């Protein structure tokens, strides 16, 4: 049980992916959609090097097709290739991945104590000629602090993603780090904010409401940025709210939350833990 090897193949056809423009100041009034279709074939491995430490990696062949969206305004009607990298591109990649993590949670799907520290490195190498080679690093920390025999829990998360390119290369808009959706800046729509770098901070106060029900107050704060030097606490987008989580001892099959953002109030329905 120390080594796991995985072979996978995946086909994704998403004709209505939302795009609002690049940057933390993008407007909800600029919403467009685009077709995002991928074919992925790959192999990966995971090695439990110590009781709490795992390392691994893999390699994928990733083919991407993009095109006009089928919901509302299509992306090419509002944005131009000179201002939106990759707007007219359908790259194919060989994607390499390495990771290391320290995990002492009771279970990934539900825990009241422990923590997770994880670092992921990706190299997107375009096959053939093209200006879309880049590297990406994701770093995340989760910490769960139990109070009074785990009846109350303070849950904290910090996440950062950065990308890097050689001179003359750039990151296509559909592969940029993003914020929004049910797990990253709740209350905003999926992929609401995109740019070359992102940061996210989350705090939750959780308490036991029943044998298989937890309640939680939460606050999310994050931003996307073109440069890593812009990683600070200025201009953060925030969301806050309250939610109920229905769980087993090791999984969270249902999560209901009411989230408030600068754009209004939303209901979040998800089938996984917030983190």
């Amino acid at each position: 049980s120390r080594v796991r090897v995985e072979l996978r193949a995946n086909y994704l056809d998403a004709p209505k992916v939302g795009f609002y423009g690049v940057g933390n100041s993008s407007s909800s009034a600029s919403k467009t959609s685009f077709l995002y279709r991928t074919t992925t074939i790959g192999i990966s491995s995971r090695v439990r090097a110590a009781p709490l430490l795992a390392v691994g990696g893999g390699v994928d062949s990733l083919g991407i097709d993009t095109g006009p969206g089928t919901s509302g305004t299509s992306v090419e009607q509002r944005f131009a290739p000179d201002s939106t990298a990759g707007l007219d591109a359908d790259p194919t990649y060989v994607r390499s991945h390495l990771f290391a993590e320290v995990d002492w949670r009771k279970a990934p799907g539900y825990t009241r104590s422990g923590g997770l520290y994880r670092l992921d490195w990706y190299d997107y190498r375009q096959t053939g000629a093209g200006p879309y080679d880049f590297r990406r690093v994701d770093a995340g920390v989760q910490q769960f602090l139990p109070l009074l025999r785990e009846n109350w829990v303070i849950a904290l998360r910090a996440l950062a993603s950065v990308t890097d390119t050689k001179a003359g290369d750039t990151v296509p808009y559909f592969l940029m780090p993003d914020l929004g959706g049910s797990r990253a800046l709740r209350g905003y729509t999926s992929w609401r904010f995109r740019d070359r770098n992102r940061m996210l901070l989350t705090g939750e106060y959780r308490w036991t409401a029943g044998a298989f029900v937890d309640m939680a107050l939460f606050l999310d704060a994050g931003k996307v940025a073109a440069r890593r030097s812009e990683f600070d606490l200025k201009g953060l987008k925030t969301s806050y709210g309250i939610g109920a989580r229905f769980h087993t001892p090791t999984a969270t099959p249902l999560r209901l939350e009411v989230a408030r953002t600068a754009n209004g109030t939303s209901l979040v329905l998800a089938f996984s833990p917030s983190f």
Side-chain angles (χ1 to χ4, degrees), residues 23 28 41 45 62 70 73-74 81 90-92 103 122 128 155 168 183 195 201 223 225 228 238 270:
S28 58
I41 300 174
S45 64
L62 174 62
T70 60
T73 303
S74 185
D90 295 318
T92 299
D103 186 358
Y122 298 89
R183 301 190 68 180
D195 213 325
L201 303 172
K223 67 187 296 187
R228 278 169 273 183
T238 61

Side-chain angles (χ1 to χ4, degrees), residues 143-167:
Q143 191 67 56
F144 303 89
L145 307 174
L147 306 173
L148 293 179
R149 297 182 180 180
E150 301 185 356
N151 289 323
W152 301 334
V153 177
I154 303 297
L156 304 172
R157 171 179 59 171
L159 172 66
S161 300
V162 299
T163 61
D164 181 57
T165 62
K166 297 179 181 178

Side-chain angles (χ1 to χ4, degrees), residues 20 48 60 69 79 99 142 159 172 209 219-220 264-265:
Y20 300 78
R48 184 163 59 89
D60 298 314
F79 299 96
F99 80 89
Q142 301 177 18
L159 172 66
L219 172 65
D220 294 340
T265 303

Side-chain angles (χ1 to χ4, degrees), residues 18-20 27-33 71-74 78-79 189:
F19 180 66
Y20 300 78
S27 171
S28 58
S30 300
K31 181 180 180 180
T32 63
S33 70
S71 175
T73 303
S74 185
R78 182 161 291 163
F79 299 96
T189 58

Side-chain angles (χ1 to χ4, degrees), residues 48-254:
R48 184 163 59 89
L52 302 180
L53 173 65
V55 297
V59 63
D60 298 314
S61 172
L62 174 62
I64 301 175
D65 292 320
T66 62
T70 60
S71 175
T73 303
S74 185
V75 61
E76 78 283 354
Q77 295 176 295
R78 182 161 291 163
F79 299 96
D82 57 352
S83 61
T84 306
L87 185 61
D88 55 353
D90 295 318
T92 299
Y93 288 101
V94 174
R95 178 177 61 188
S96 304
H97 172 221
L98 298 172
F99 80 89
E101 70 175 24
V102 177
D103 186 358
W104 68 101
R105 299 170 296 173
K106 290 185 176 179
Y110 179 77
T111 188
R112 294 180 181 176
S113 62
L116 171 67
Y117 297 173
R118 183 177 171 106
L119 184 68
D120 291 89
W121 175 87
Y122 298 89
D123 179 67
Y124 285 77
R125 192 65 54 89
Q126 190 175 2
T127 60
Y132 300 112
D133 287 356
F134 68 96
R135 287 154 299 283
R136 172 172 171 167
V137 175
D138 293 338
V141 175
Q142 301 177 18
Q143 191 67 56
F144 303 89
L145 307 174
L147 306 173
L148 293 179
R149 297 182 180 180
E150 301 185 356
N151 289 323
W152 301 334
V153 177
I154 303 297
L156 304 172
R157 171 179 59 171
L159 172 66
S161 300
V162 299
T163 61
D164 181 57
T165 62
K166 297 179 181 178
D169 286 346
T170 188
V171 183
Y173 74 96
F174 45 83
L175 292 178
M176 287 180 173
D178 63 86
L179 290 175
S182 65
R183 301 190 68 180
L185 209 58
R186 285 163 282 186
Y188 286 98
T189 58
S190 299
W191 316 289
R192 175 59 185 84
F193 302 99
R194 298 174 185 260
D195 213 325
R196 292 187 51 158
N197 309 283
R198 70 172 176 179
M199 62 176 288
L200 177 68
L201 303 172
T202 297
E204 293 190 352
Y205 169 61
R206 304 173 180 177
W207 69 94
T208 301
F212 300 103
V213 182
D214 285 358
M215 301 294 295
L217 297 173
F218 67 86
L219 172 65
D220 294 340
K223 67 187 296 187
V224 296
R227 294 175 292 275
R228 278 169 273 183
S229 59
E230 299 175 27
F231 273 0
D232 53 35
L233 300 182
K234 299 178 181 179
L236 292 176
K237 305 296 182 180
T238 61
S239 68
Y240 60 91
I242 187 171
R245 289 83 186 272
F246 302 89
H247 63 85
T248 70
T250 59
T252 305
L254 179 63

